[in-house]
Structure formats: structure tokens, C-alpha cells
Amino acid sequence: MMRVLILGGTGEAAELAAKVANIQGIEAISSLAGRTREPSIPLGDLRIGGFGGVAGLAKYLHQMQIDLLIDATHPFATQIALNAADAAMEVKVPRLKLIRQPWQEVNGDRWLKVDSIKTAADVLENQSKRVFLSIGRQEIGAFAHLHQIWFLMRMIDPPEPQALVPPGIFLCDRGPFNLDNEREILIHHQIDTIVSKNSGGDATYAKIIAARELQLKVVIVNRPSVPPGAQATDIDEALLWLSQHLHR
């Protein structure tokens, strides 16, 4: 029996875990960071919580006799991606990064591409009045000083009571989101600018389409670099990688 650890928290990770559960000869363990209060639980064995850095993850891989590691975390989960690469190298476990393709700018989009959340906050000043902030809850503090802007902030869970937040309201919801609802939100709240990470995938792309239709500005935060190593952009590629290792 080959044991696979899937670092999850994304739709792709849950879908992969469900498909791996039906493959003979493979036992999958899914790991969630535990930052979401009511996470979507994947099929199969599950652990929740951090590992304690590279050393902790390497120890887990060794103690649990993990044969393969698949990092299917969010494209912006930089630290766990680096930890996974280093830990897998340390214990000599083959690692795959499952990362969906980024969105591509098309005709009609009004994108302003930036390399950080801080830069995204900087470019809003004197340019926007009503902003749809769609970056999750962990980094909204970067916009808290923009008192002249009203923010609609969408996230899965509300921020902690003591968190620094910009002026506006919270919209707690979980994707996937459909185009009609996204269009209605933008119109109802008179949004003139969207701030979004370039997460890729279909679950949250509807807001990008709606912005294009309404000719709204979109401040897009570019993705961080990915550690070198094997990569897959979809579930089928990840399953092929698994199959190749299973039959070695």
C-alpha cells in the first residue's frame, strides 16, 4: 500500500482526494491548515493543523511513512509550498505541486497588475471610491488606512474582533460564485474597482467576467513564484503522476 499526503484546502485537493480514494493500492491522507472554521471535509483520512515548519513536516512524512507528497494548497500559500519542497527533499519523498492555471487578461478587461497586497492598497488611493475586496481575511489590514474608500470585503469567515479592518461591510460566503449574483453584487454596491489575487480556476472567476461586462477596474495581484519541481495543472495530470509512481 502506497501512502500519499495531500496538502489541501482547495477544491482541487478535495476532488483529488475523492478520486484517489477509489484507486486500489493507494492510501491518501488530506491535511488542512485549520484556518477556516467550517472547512469542506475531503473524503478519506484527515488531519487538521500546522506541522511546525519544515522540521515538523519532515518528521511527519518520516513517522507516517509517506511515500508521495502532493501540495494542492492555494496558489498564494507561499510558506507551506516552500516548507513542502524543503521537507520532501530532506526525507527524499517525491513531491508534486498541483496548481491551477492563472487567469489570463482578455479583450475588455481593465486590469492593473501588481506584485503584492501592499501595492494593491497603494494604487487604490485617489483612484477608487467603492472597492470589492476579494482577497480573504488575512491581509485586509493592509487597506485599513484608506478611510476615504468604502470596502465590500468578501471572505469565508469574518475577521477576529481585534483585527484591523478598512471601512465598509463584510460579506461572508464561500465559492463557487455564479455570474448573475456577482453582477448583482457589483451593481447593488456601486463598486468601481475590484481587488483580487490571481487565484485562477472557475470558482471565483465570475467576478472577473462581471467586471469586464461592467467595465470596472480590477487590481490583480500576481502570483508568487512556485518552488522548482514536478507540477500538474489539473486533476488528470496529478492522477497520471500518481499512477506513474504507483507502478514503479
Side-chain angles (χ1 to χ4, degrees):
M1 180 70 73
M2 181 172 282
R3 185 171 285 178
V4 180
L5 176 64
I6 301 174
L7 303 179
T10 60
E12 291 88 352
E15 183 180 347
L16 179 63
K19 292 197 173 184
V20 171
N22 295 319
I23 300 176
Q24 288 188 343
I26 297 182
E27 176 188 356
I29 302 172
S30 293
S31 176
L32 304 180
R35 291 175 178 164
T36 303
R37 294 173 188 173
E38 296 183 5
S40 298
I41 303 300
L43 289 176
D45 293 337
L46 175 68
R47 71 170 299 280
I48 296 178
F51 291 97
V54 175
L57 178 52
K59 181 179 180 181
Y60 182 87
L61 294 173
H62 177 72
Q63 289 184 338
M64 295 297 293
Q65 299 181 317
I66 300 297
D67 299 295
L68 300 172
L69 173 61
I70 298 181
D71 175 8
T73 55
H74 193 274
F76 283 80
T78 307
Q79 192 59 58
I80 186 60
L82 293 171
N83 291 352
D86 290 344
M89 184 178 298
E90 183 177 323
V91 297
K92 296 179 172 57
V93 169
R95 173 189 61 91
L96 176 73
K97 177 62 177 176
L98 173 57
I99 183 166
R100 65 184 86 115
Q101 294 277 19
W103 299 320
Q104 300 296 327
E105 189 173 8
V106 302
N107 187 41
D109 284 332
R110 298 178 60 198
W111 285 12
L112 177 59
K113 299 176 185 177
V114 298
D115 289 327
S116 70
I117 292 294
K118 181 184 181 304
T119 307
D122 290 342
V123 301
L124 291 181
E125 218 161 359
N126 303 318
Q127 285 197 39
S128 304
K129 294 182 178 179
R130 298 180 69 83
V131 173
F132 182 24
L133 196 57
S134 180
I135 61 167
R137 66 186 170 102
Q138 295 185 46
E139 297 173 281
I140 60 173
F143 301 84
H145 65 288
L146 299 174
H147 301 293
Q148 77 280 15
I149 300 175
W150 182 91
F151 290 89
L152 174 65
M153 296 162 276
R154 183 162 68 193
M155 56 200 72
I156 295 176
D157 296 320
E160 298 299 327
Q162 69 275 16
L164 199 62
V165 299
I169 63 172
F170 302 119
L171 177 60
C172 293
D173 203 355
R174 186 195 303 265
F177 304 106
N178 69 62
L179 179 56
D180 289 341
N181 285 347
E182 298 290 72
R183 189 189 300 111
E184 182 180 346
I185 286 172
L186 297 175
I187 293 172
H188 176 75
H189 292 285
Q190 299 178 308
I191 300 298
D192 57 54
T193 307
I194 294 175
V195 178
S196 174
K197 297 175 179 178
N198 193 339
S199 301
D202 296 329
T204 62
Y205 187 61
K207 68 188 172 197
I208 304 298
I209 300 175
R212 184 186 309 138
E213 291 179 357
L214 298 170
Q215 300 185 317
L216 304 182
K217 292 175 290 187
V218 182
V219 179
I220 289 279
V221 183
N222 294 325
R223 290 183 178 185
S225 58
V226 176
Q231 291 185 30
T233 58
D234 58 37
I235 303 298
D236 289 340
E237 286 183 11
L239 291 172
L240 177 61
W241 183 84
L242 272 176
S243 176
Q244 290 170 344
H245 284 276
L246 181 62
H247 294 105
R248 284 182 178 177

